[in-house]
Amino acid sequence: MSDAAVLSNAQLNKRILSVIVFTFFCYLSVGLPLAVLPGFVHNQLGFSSFIAGLIISLQYFATLLSRPHSGRLADRFGPKRVVMMGLVFCGMSGVLSIIAALCSDMPLLSLALLAAGRLFLGVGESFSSTGSTLWGMNIVGPLQTARVISWNGVATYFAMAIGAPLGVLLNQWFGISGFAGLVAIMGVAGFWMASRKAGVSVSAGVRIPFHRVVSRVWMFGLALGFGTIGFGVISTFITLYFASRDWSGAAFALTLFSLGFVIVRLGFGRCITRFGGLKVSLVSFVLECAGLLLIWQADSIWLVDLGAFLTGGGFSLVFPALGVEAVKRVQQQDQGSALGTYSAFLDLGLGLTGPVAGLLIGHWGMQSVYLAAALMVLGAFAITLRLHQQHGRQTAAQALSE
């Protein structure tokens, strides 16, 4: 019996949180600039809104491209080293942003420094979050994978939720250097904290080629990517949706979305271990789709609020539920690669949501994005149902062979 098997819930959570704190540092660094940098690029440096948006998007592309590599490096060198590298990259983004603020009288140089900082932050995000999750999975064992991924999600969304308003406050008090200085400090502090923690041994098993890892997890990732679109259209377009109907209270709808997410994640996270990730995902997609359809057809604010709450609750367990099943498809020595590849589909889903939804709005109006998102979630349901049926056939075949 492993050491983790005899630990209480409180002890397991303590072990997990001791490494998930690095995910929190990472995503707080991601959240702090979001509401500040576009205004700085557009209003102070004098560039167009398109360039301001592009500066923000650079981070997402860097995360998407580096996510699979972060998992591969964690498998080879251990998650501790990858987390430490990621925190250095996050800290460097803060340093480059400070220098960019000091060079604001040279707009092109300042913009180039900001772009470099966004690239560093994107790589730092993929390294820190993937490494932290894999580190947690290793210190509590495979039976607690769902718990680790769930706590990682809580840390992610909590950090993002407080990051944007905190970044605005720091910018008001100290300018760009306010939030950028905090990012740099967290990079240094996080690196020091991680260096003092015991690492985990790297599995010595033979690793399969990367393309075979992709072939085993891509369907789980595709379902995740489709399911993520519901989150993307609410977080990105709900304020515009309210404005298009001359309603107020969009912020409350976002709060209800977050509330639904947290309530389900904390209250029902154990269902993944009890019933299996595929069954939980199927229920989650039904709930998320119902919320999006409610927003699409809503004729009052309270129906939109209810739809946002249901969508948040439905999306809450999608990432950990499908993630548990994805990492089961490979041996321990390849789990980092599997997790990184799987997570990249979330980045891809969020990255494509903005421009595709913008095109839909231009042709069919604001409400159309919520119908389109609901249809994408139905696609995720269909993919997951197929995976569930395949799993059932494999289980039946194994039972007959025994």
Side-chain angles (χ1 to χ4, degrees), residues 53-54 56-67 118-119 122-123 125 347-348 351-352 355:
L54 185 62
I56 295 296
S57 298
L58 278 176
Q59 179 218 315
Y60 296 120
F61 289 118
T63 301
L64 174 64
L65 293 175
S66 61
R67 184 82 79 171
R118 299 298 293 170
L119 294 174
V123 177
E125 176 190 345
D347 303 316
L348 182 61
L352 292 176

Side-chain angles (χ1 to χ4, degrees), residues 28-29 32 94 98 166 170 176-187:
L28 187 57
S29 300
L32 285 167
I98 292 173
L166 179 58
L170 291 173
I176 292 293
S177 299
F179 82 77
L182 180 56
V183 171
I185 290 170
M186 286 192 295

Side-chain angles (χ1 to χ4, degrees), residues 20 44 61 108 113 136 199 229 247-248 272 286 292 310 391:
I20 295 303
Q44 292 185 243
F61 289 118
L108 282 175
L113 289 166
I229 291 172
W247 289 347
S248 60
I272 299 172
V286 169
L292 290 165
L310 290 175
H391 178 69

Side-chain angles (χ1 to χ4, degrees), residues 98 105 121 175 234 263 292 306 355 367 399:
I98 292 173
D105 56 337
L121 186 58
I234 287 185
I263 288 175
L292 290 165
L306 178 59
Q367 286 177 272

Side-chain angles (χ1 to χ4, degrees), residues 66 193-194 201 205 218 280 288 299 305:
S66 61
M193 290 168 62
S201 58
W218 74 271
V280 170
E288 183 181 0
D299 57 6
D305 289 342

Side-chain angles (χ1 to χ4, degrees), residues 41-368:
V41 172
H42 182 58
N43 298 323
Q44 292 185 243
L45 298 184
F47 292 97
S48 67
S49 298
F50 172 78
I51 296 297
L54 185 62
I55 286 293
I56 295 296
S57 298
L58 278 176
Q59 179 218 315
Y60 296 120
F61 289 118
T63 301
L64 174 64
L65 293 175
S66 61
R67 184 82 79 171
H69 300 292
S70 67
R72 204 66 172 170
L73 289 172
D75 286 332
R76 181 171 299 175
F77 301 111
K80 175 180 175 176
R81 291 187 182 182
V82 171
V83 168
M84 292 171 68
M85 290 169 59
L87 291 166
V88 169
F89 289 144
C90 288
M92 279 299 300
S93 73
V95 172
L96 288 168
S97 297
I98 292 173
I99 300 173
L102 296 175
C103 298
S104 60
D105 56 337
M106 295 178 281
L108 282 175
L109 175 59
S110 182
L111 186 71
L113 289 166
L114 286 177
R118 299 298 293 170
L119 294 174
F120 269 105
L121 186 58
V123 177
E125 176 190 345
S126 61
F127 278 40
S128 299
S129 59
T130 303
S132 296
T133 306
L134 191 63
W135 199 351
M137 288 163 54
N138 275 272
I139 63 176
V140 296
L143 293 178
Q144 301 298 329
T145 296
R147 188 191 295 251
V148 174
I149 297 178
S150 291
W151 274 114
N152 194 68
V154 171
T156 297
Y157 290 101
F158 180 62
M160 291 284 284
I162 67 174
L166 179 58
V168 171
L169 285 176
L170 291 173
N171 182 59
Q172 290 173 351
W173 295 337
F174 308 107
I176 292 293
S177 299
F179 82 77
L182 180 56
V183 171
I185 290 170
M186 286 192 295
V188 173
F191 180 89
W192 177 79
M193 290 168 62
S195 69
R196 292 174 60 83
K197 284 190 61 63
V200 291
S201 58
V202 180
S203 179
V206 177
R207 294 179 178 83
I208 62 176
F210 181 66
H211 69 86
R212 290 183 60 191
V213 175
V214 175
S215 70
R216 295 184 185 187
V217 304
W218 74 271
M219 285 189 69
F220 298 92
L222 188 62
L224 171 68
F226 282 169
T228 301
I229 291 172
F231 163 66
V233 296
I234 287 185
S235 62
T236 306
F237 294 103
I238 196 68
T239 54
L240 296 177
Y241 179 80
F242 270 69
S244 70
R245 307 188 75 169
D246 294 322
W247 289 347
S248 60
F252 184 63
L254 287 171
T255 299
L256 286 174
F257 175 89
S258 301
L259 185 63
F261 182 97
V262 171
I263 288 175
V264 172
R265 179 67 69 95
L266 296 180
F268 298 94
R270 294 184 186 179
C271 291
I272 299 172
T273 303
R274 183 177 179 183
F275 300 108
L278 293 174
K279 290 182 179 179
V280 170
S281 297
L282 289 171
V283 176
S284 297
F285 287 135
V286 169
L287 191 63
E288 183 181 0
C289 184
L292 290 165
L293 290 174
L294 197 59
I295 297 173
W296 170 54
Q297 284 292 284
D299 57 6
S300 63
I301 294 175
W302 76 268
L303 285 175
V304 176
D305 289 342
L306 178 59
F309 181 82
L310 290 175
T311 305
F315 177 66
S316 178
L317 294 180
V318 169
F319 185 88
L322 288 174
V324 166
E325 299 299 328
V327 298
K328 285 181 182 177
R329 297 312 191 264
V330 298
Q331 298 298 315
Q332 185 175 1
Q333 63 269 20
D334 291 302
Q335 286 186 345
S337 297
L339 185 64
T341 302
Y342 167 74
S343 301
F345 283 87
L346 183 146
D347 303 316
L348 182 61
L350 290 177
L352 292 176
T353 295
V356 173
L359 291 174
L360 288 175
I361 291 170
H363 284 87
W364 290 290
M366 183 63 64
Q367 286 177 272
S368 66

